[in-house]
Amino acid sequence: MEEFNEEVDPSEERNLELTEVVMLQFMGTAYVGVVEWWITHGMPHSPTEMAKQVGILLERIV
């Protein structure tokens, strides 16, 4: 969560209606959920590909 804290900018116009704690919780839960899915489905993508895709997704929601 601390690492995500550096990524979240609650002062951005698109984030003005959101609280920082909700944004952080959303990002953390989404990240853990994707990693859980990846492991339980036999790691169908390489760690590099997963990191790339998760990074792209997180950039879209920050």
Side-chain angles (χ1 to χ4, degrees):
M1 295 304 273
E2 290 177 15
E3 290 183 31
F4 288 132
N5 194 24
E6 297 172 9
E7 303 292 326
V8 172
D9 184 359
S11 66
E12 283 189 31
E13 186 175 340
R14 66 183 175 170
N15 295 333
L16 292 178
E17 295 182 62
L18 303 169
T19 62
E20 187 173 346
V21 69
V22 171
M23 288 189 291
L24 290 171
Q25 191 63 41
F26 179 83
M27 292 174 62
T29 303
Y31 185 82
V32 169
V34 168
V35 171
E36 180 183 8
W37 167 86
W38 180 64
I39 292 169
T40 60
H41 284 83
M43 300 179 200
H45 307 289
S46 71
T48 302
E49 181 62 24
M50 287 301 294
K52 176 184 170 186
Q53 289 194 37
V54 169
I56 292 169
L57 289 168
L58 290 176
E59 286 178 12
R60 290 181 182 180
I61 62 172
V62 178

